[in-house]
């Protein structure tokens, strides 16, 4: 397959007809001036060293070189092919709580916004690892399948919001189960897979510890980050604080016990977030010591550049144009290349 990487430069080829017009006008003006001195045949005999053919040839060579340089600037490229790339790294699935309790403001501006900021910084520092994203409240949702495209991952992380999940609540077990199912490929690579759970730990829906045991049996480690404070904070939505059925203000508190148990069951670690650090940096350092698996991925090779050939021919033509004089060389006159017999 052939293409130009910068086709906008091809518009410069429109200058070639302009050059031709200018050359024709200049030649006509020259003939008019010479006509003032006498007959054209007589003047030609008086100036035998002048060669009109050489002038035309030099112009053709110049236009050809210019056209080739324009084509080179447009970067002509030929075809692409699939190439297998091998890399080592881990697969990390981030599981982020987006329930209303994550809107508590014991972290500024709130727990969820601080989490999104930390995830964005995490993606900036990754290199060969692959990441995915699951958001959850009463139900989980795969926000981003496993990928090595960190730019796209950051874009998806910025969109994390409670509105992504229609059912409110905090079903940690379902979220972890969805994360395990979201890992692609062979279970033999489980030793290089981790789940990072970020939540306040208030689980009201299911048995998260049972899912953690299944993860441990599969060889997947779960690292947990508790965001919030044991004292808790009220939850404010649209300027109003959430209240329970009795009218009392709902206070969301950090449940560290369950998060510690999940991490311990899978050989992971629990980190309590602080206002200075969410805890992702500490977990990434721990993950870096894990055994990494080698992965193969098919990628399109970049198009092969062909501009250098156009440049080379253009330079040869310009060199020839420079060495080609307007007047005949007496040493070569006997070859009679540019004039009629």
């Amino acid at each position: 397959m052939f293409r130009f990487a910068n086709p906008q430069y091809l518009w410069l080829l429109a200058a070639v007809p302009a050059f031709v017009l200018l050359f024709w006008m200049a030649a006509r003006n020259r003939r008019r001036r010479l006509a003032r001195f006498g007959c054209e045949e007589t003047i030609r005999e008086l100036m035998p060293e002048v060669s009109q053919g050489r002038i035309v040839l030099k112009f053709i060579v110049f236009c050809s070189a210019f056209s080739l340089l324009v084509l080179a600037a447009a970067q002509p490229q030929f075809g692409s092919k699939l190439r297998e790339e091998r890399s080592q790294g881990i697969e990390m699935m981030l599981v982020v709580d987006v329930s209303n309790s994550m809107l508590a403001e014991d972290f500024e501006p709130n727990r969820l916004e601080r989490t999104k900021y930390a995830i964005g910084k995490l993606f900036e520092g990754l290199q060969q690892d692959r990441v995915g994203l699951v958001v959850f409240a009463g139900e989980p949702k795969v926000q981003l399948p496993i990928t090595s495209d960190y730019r796209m991952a950051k874009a998806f992380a910025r969109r994390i919001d409670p509105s992504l999940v229609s059912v409110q609540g905090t079903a940690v077990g379902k979220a972890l189960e969805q994360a395990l199912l979201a890992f692609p490929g062979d279970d033999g690579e489980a030793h290089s897979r981790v789940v990072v759970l970020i939540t306040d730990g208030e689980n009201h829906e299911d048995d998260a510890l049972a899912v953690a045991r299944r993860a441990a049996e599969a060889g997947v480690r779960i690292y947990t980050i508790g965001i919030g404070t044991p004292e808790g904070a009220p939850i404010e939505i649209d300027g109003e604080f959430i209240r329970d059925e009795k009218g009392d203000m709902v206070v969301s508190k950090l449940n560290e016990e369950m998060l510690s148990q999940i991490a311990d069951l899978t050989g992971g670690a629990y980190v309590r977030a602080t206002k200075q650090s969410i805890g992702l940096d500490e977990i990434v350092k721990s993950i870096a010591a894990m055994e990494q698996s080698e992965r193969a991925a098919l990628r399109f090779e970049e198009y092969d550049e062909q501009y250098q050939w156009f440049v080379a021919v253009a330079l040869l033509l310009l060199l020839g144009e420079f060495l080609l004089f307007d007047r005949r060389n007496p040493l070569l006159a006997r070859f009679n290349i540019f004039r009629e017999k």
Side-chain angles (χ1 to χ4, degrees):
M1 182 178 178
F2 178 81
R3 73 166 190 175
F4 287 103
N6 300 305
Q8 65 272 17
Y9 289 113
L10 295 177
W11 288 103
L12 293 174
L13 291 175
V16 175
F19 293 158
V20 173
L21 178 61
L22 290 173
F23 179 81
W24 176 78
M25 292 175 62
R28 187 181 64 171
N29 189 40
R30 179 173 177 271
R31 285 196 300 270
R32 286 179 177 177
R33 291 199 306 268
L34 288 175
R36 298 175 184 175
F37 295 97
C39 174
E40 183 178 348
E41 294 295 331
T42 304
I43 294 174
R44 188 180 301 168
E45 292 295 330
L46 293 174
M47 297 186 298
E49 73 279 3
V50 176
S51 173
Q52 185 65 26
R54 288 172 177 266
I55 296 174
V56 173
L57 180 61
K58 282 172 66 69
F59 175 72
I60 293 174
V61 171
F62 170 79
C63 288
S64 300
F66 176 81
S67 300
L68 289 172
L69 289 175
V70 170
L71 293 174
Q75 282 190 260
Q77 299 172 333
F78 279 109
S80 62
K81 57 184 178 180
L82 287 172
R83 177 168 55 91
E84 186 178 76
E85 263 192 2
R86 307 196 71 85
S87 61
Q88 284 193 332
I90 63 163
E91 292 181 333
M92 180 192 307
M93 184 64 71
L94 294 170
V95 181
V96 181
D97 187 350
V98 294
S99 61
N100 287 333
S101 61
M102 290 290 286
L103 298 177
E105 298 179 355
D106 45 2
F107 281 69
E108 294 183 358
N110 60 48
R111 297 174 182 175
L112 187 57
E113 289 300 320
R114 283 288 289 117
T115 300
K116 289 163 61 174
Y117 174 78
I119 291 174
K121 297 298 288 183
L122 167 68
F123 290 159
E124 289 178 0
L126 297 180
Q127 293 181 351
Q128 294 185 340
D129 300 324
R130 301 173 67 193
V131 294
L133 186 61
V134 171
V135 295
F136 74 97
E139 293 290 338
K141 175 185 177 182
V142 178
Q143 174 75 352
L144 176 69
I146 287 287
T147 180
S148 56
D149 188 341
Y150 302 132
R151 182 180 300 178
M152 181 173 65
K154 287 182 65 177
F156 274 86
R158 286 194 294 267
R159 299 186 192 135
I160 295 176
D161 188 82
S163 62
L164 293 174
V165 180
S166 58
V167 180
Q168 275 301 312
T170 311
V172 175
K174 289 182 181 180
L176 293 176
E177 192 167 10
Q178 182 65 68
L180 296 176
L181 293 173
F183 284 115
D186 189 355
D187 291 340
E189 298 179 359
H191 62 273
S192 62
R193 292 174 174 172
V194 298
V195 173
V196 179
L197 172 65
I198 306 175
T199 179
D200 53 26
E202 287 193 329
N203 187 50
H204 308 295
E205 308 290 335
D206 50 23
D207 187 0
L209 297 180
V211 182
R213 293 187 186 95
R214 292 202 297 273
E217 292 172 0
V220 178
R221 298 186 188 184
I222 301 177
Y223 292 81
T224 57
I225 296 177
I227 182 165
T229 58
E231 300 78 23
I235 305 168
E236 183 179 359
I237 300 178
D238 297 329
E240 295 185 2
F241 291 101
I242 297 180
R243 298 181 180 274
D244 59 20
E245 297 176 353
K246 298 179 181 179
D248 297 329
M249 189 178 297
V250 175
V251 176
S252 174
K253 299 180 180 180
L254 174 63
N255 181 3
E256 292 187 289
E257 182 180 356
M258 182 193 68
L259 297 178
S260 295
Q261 290 176 339
I262 291 174
D264 290 341
L265 284 172
T266 61
Y270 166 69
V271 177
R272 179 176 172 182
T274 66
K275 295 183 179 181
Q276 289 74 34
S277 172
I278 288 294
L280 279 172
D281 292 339
E282 294 85 342
I283 286 178
V284 169
K285 290 178 182 178
S286 177
I287 291 174
M290 289 178 53
E291 181 182 354
Q292 299 181 352
S293 61
E294 185 177 56
R295 296 186 301 270
L298 290 178
R299 296 187 62 180
F300 280 102
E301 236 179 16
E302 292 185 359
Y303 283 82
D304 293 328
E305 298 286 353
Q306 304 296 325
Y307 71 90
Q308 60 272 17
W309 303 107
F310 292 82
V311 172
V313 176
L315 291 177
L316 288 175
L317 289 175
L318 289 174
L319 179 61
E321 193 271 343
F322 175 76
L323 296 176
L324 184 63
F325 298 104
D326 294 345
R327 300 176 182 275
R328 296 187 180 94
N329 188 332
L331 298 177
L332 300 176
R334 65 178 183 274
F335 291 108
N336 197 25
I337 301 174
F338 299 106
R339 65 178 177 180
E340 296 179 357
K341 294 181 178 180

